[in-house]
Amino acid sequence: MNAQSSLKRIDGISDDDLAVLMKIAQAGDTEAYTQLLQEVTIRLRRIVRRCRSFLTNEDIEDLVQDILLSLHSVRATYDPRRPFMPWLLAITRNRLADGARRYARTSIREVQTDCLDVTFAREHANKTEDVFGKEELKNAIDGLPAAQRTAVEMLKLREMSLKEASAVSGMSIGALKVATHRAMIALRKILMKTHEPKY
Amino acid sequence: MSQSTENLIQKLAHNSVPIRPLARPWIRAAGWLVLSGIYLAIVLTLMKGHGLPAKWDDLRFILEQVSALAVGFVAAVAAFATIVPGHDRSRLAILLIPLAGWLGTVGEGCIHSLIQLGPRALLLEHDLVCFPFIALSGAVPAIFMALMLRQGAPLTPRLTAGLGALAAAGLANFFLRLFHPEDVTLMLLLWHVGGVFVLSALAASGGRYMLNWPSATRAFENTAR
């Protein structure tokens, strides 16, 4: 990755300016840190897009956020006497390689299968119309506690990712997972009470 | 800028507190050496009278000890350098100098013993206490080292853990030889030097469990996302 040279070419703010911002940020200046992260994000997005051009925008954004979190967690390792960009690029390269390894590991475990129609011998099991009426489902969701309702609406109805739902709702990813799990159990109980399945 | 990334930036900036940049690797290594030295000095005081006095009049023994201590210190510097993003990895090769000195003095001692003792020098009758002793006396320095390494970036977990363990085990070996100063034989090479490298290899193989990005970022991930 020949990122360092291209970075100097792209952006107005220099490496020295970033180093100064980081130094001030290490001292606890919130504004300087916000400005630094915003400047860095623009650069990171370009680097990630160039190195991982096959990824979707969402995946690129996930990687950028991972790098920002990594930068934040090890910001004490930055020595203000040294240039900023080599420090940032070392973290970026490492996180990109880490992401690629993670992708390779998970793709090994995944098995590609054809999407086959699922049919059963009993006629009731092959109904294509809704088993539960939309109105009943809506009422059941409305009856859920607020956190569970929010989780179901965002993750199941609006099909948002966990990160997006977390950003919008302000709930942590763990809390969203728990709320969704509990909501699905609650919905199953509510709907089973009114509709005894015939299969 | 996507909304979620902008939110993340705001939360990270909002939650940031003033931090002190980590000291340079050699300063941290010196701090670690002093801390571990105090612990080992206490253990040495408690063990007084349990071993043989060190052979400070033997030049080869002195060279071996200086080299072993240098291996511990330089390995610690190297370990602390690997957790700083952007460090120059080629500088890690400096470790080869004290390592060559240490292996050279021990190796030369082996050859000397072989000439003097003949086949008896090859007998592997050395007591097995050396290996666990290196591990136990190196355990506390290793814990100090692990805690200090976790403050940095887990860029090369295996290399970092291996170097950290080499530093701790090298220091423990230096300490062990202070009251275990037998003649250098193949047994010493096997149990002492071999023990140090086995422990380093074990630590390196498990480095990813101790040093990894998920554990480094977890605390911030929960508050920021």
Side-chain angles (χ1 to χ4, degrees), chain A residues 130-199:
Chain A
D130 286 343
V131 175
F132 305 113
K134 281 182 182 171
E135 194 60 32
E136 279 176 85
L137 183 60
K138 186 178 176 301
N139 290 339
I141 293 172
D142 287 343
L144 291 172
Q148 293 180 18
R149 192 170 60 244
T150 306
V152 169
E153 280 173 358
M154 290 187 175
L155 296 172
K156 301 295 178 188
L157 302 183
R158 290 159 65 186
E159 297 185 335
M160 293 167 81
S161 72
L162 278 166
K163 281 175 191 162
E164 288 168 339
S166 174
V168 174
S169 66
M171 293 166 72
S172 70
I173 289 176
L176 277 169
K177 284 181 181 173
V178 171
T180 310
H181 179 69
R182 288 179 180 162
M184 298 314 287
I185 293 171
L187 286 176
R188 194 175 295 127
K189 277 183 186 168
I190 295 166
L191 296 171
M192 285 299 177
K193 272 182 193 169
T194 49
H195 288 264
E196 282 300 322
K198 294 169 185 171
Y199 47 88

Side-chain angles (χ1 to χ4, degrees), chain A residues 64-150:
Chain A
V64 169
Q65 290 187 13
D66 275 347
I67 297 167
L68 287 176
L69 272 170
S70 304
L71 178 157
H72 180 75
S73 64
V74 300
R75 65 196 191 284
T77 62
Y78 176 67
D79 182 349
R81 288 165 293 198
R82 304 187 67 182
F84 179 79
M85 282 315 294
W87 179 81
L88 176 69
L89 287 175
I91 296 173
T92 306
R93 271 194 298 270
N94 196 264
R95 292 305 273 145
L96 285 176
D98 211 40
R101 275 194 296 269
R102 200 168 52 233
Y103 176 78
R105 273 199 305 272
T106 49
S107 60
I108 285 170
R109 292 195 208 105
E110 285 173 359
V111 179
Q112 298 292 329
T113 56
D114 292 332
C115 188
L116 300 170
D117 293 333
V118 178
T119 56
F120 296 93
R122 300 188 72 176
E123 196 182 342
H124 289 302
N126 297 324
K127 288 203 296 187
T128 52
E129 69 268 23
D130 286 343
V131 175
F132 305 113
K134 281 182 182 171
E135 194 60 32
E136 279 176 85
L137 183 60
K138 186 178 176 301
N139 290 339
I141 293 172
D142 287 343
L144 291 172
Q148 293 180 18
R149 192 170 60 244
T150 306

Side-chain angles (χ1 to χ4, degrees), chain A residues 26-27 30 33-34 38 41 45 61 65-66 69-70 72-78 81 87 90-91 94-95 163 166, chain B residues 1-2 4-6 8-10 12-13 17-19 21-22 24 83 85-86 152-153 155 213 216-217 220 225:
Chain A
Q26 283 180 327
T30 308
Y33 196 36
T34 307
Q38 284 170 341
T41 300
R45 206 171 277 135
E61 214 55 34
Q65 290 187 13
D66 275 347
L69 272 170
S70 304
H72 180 75
S73 64
V74 300
R75 65 196 191 284
T77 62
Y78 176 67
R81 288 165 293 198
W87 179 81
I91 296 173
N94 196 264
R95 292 305 273 145
K163 281 175 191 162
S166 174
Chain B
M1 186 175 293
S2 108
S4 58
T5 304
E6 179 58 28
L8 178 71
I9 289 171
Q10 295 301 334
L12 289 178
V17 289
I19 49 149
L22 293 182
R24 290 182 174 190
I83 58 166
L155 299 167
W213 282 111
T217 58
F220 304 107
R225 279 186 177 172

Side-chain angles (χ1 to χ4, degrees), chain B residues 103-145:
Chain B
L103 293 176
T105 48
V106 176
E108 194 271 336
C110 283
I111 294 166
H112 189 75
S113 300
L114 198 63
I115 293 166
Q116 272 193 333
L117 303 173
R120 273 201 302 140
L122 298 173
L123 292 174
L124 299 177
E125 60 189 15
H126 201 58
D127 51 321
L128 281 167
V129 78
C130 292
F131 184 79
F133 201 89
I134 291 175
L136 286 175
S137 54
V140 172
I143 291 169
F144 291 151
M145 173 64 74

Side-chain angles (χ1 to χ4, degrees), chain A residues 5-101:
Chain A
S5 56
S6 55
L7 283 169
K8 285 182 179 172
R9 200 174 58 236
I10 295 166
D11 301 289
I13 191 161
S14 70
D15 189 6
D16 291 342
D17 295 334
L18 291 173
V20 171
L21 282 175
M22 187 59 172
K23 188 180 177 182
I24 302 169
Q26 283 180 327
D29 189 313
T30 308
E31 279 182 31
Y33 196 36
T34 307
Q35 192 188 344
L36 174 85
L37 292 178
Q38 284 170 341
E39 289 291 341
V40 158
T41 300
I42 297 166
R43 295 166 188 232
L44 288 178
R45 206 171 277 135
R46 285 183 188 137
I47 296 170
V48 175
R49 189 166 288 133
R50 192 165 57 242
C51 297
R52 301 283 186 269
S53 52
F54 52 89
L55 291 180
T56 62
N57 282 340
E58 287 76 25
D59 290 336
I60 288 171
E61 214 55 34
D62 279 352
L63 271 172
V64 169
Q65 290 187 13
D66 275 347
I67 297 167
L68 287 176
L69 272 170
S70 304
L71 178 157
H72 180 75
S73 64
V74 300
R75 65 196 191 284
T77 62
Y78 176 67
D79 182 349
R81 288 165 293 198
R82 304 187 67 182
F84 179 79
M85 282 315 294
W87 179 81
L88 176 69
L89 287 175
I91 296 173
T92 306
R93 271 194 298 270
N94 196 264
R95 292 305 273 145
L96 285 176
D98 211 40
R101 275 194 296 269

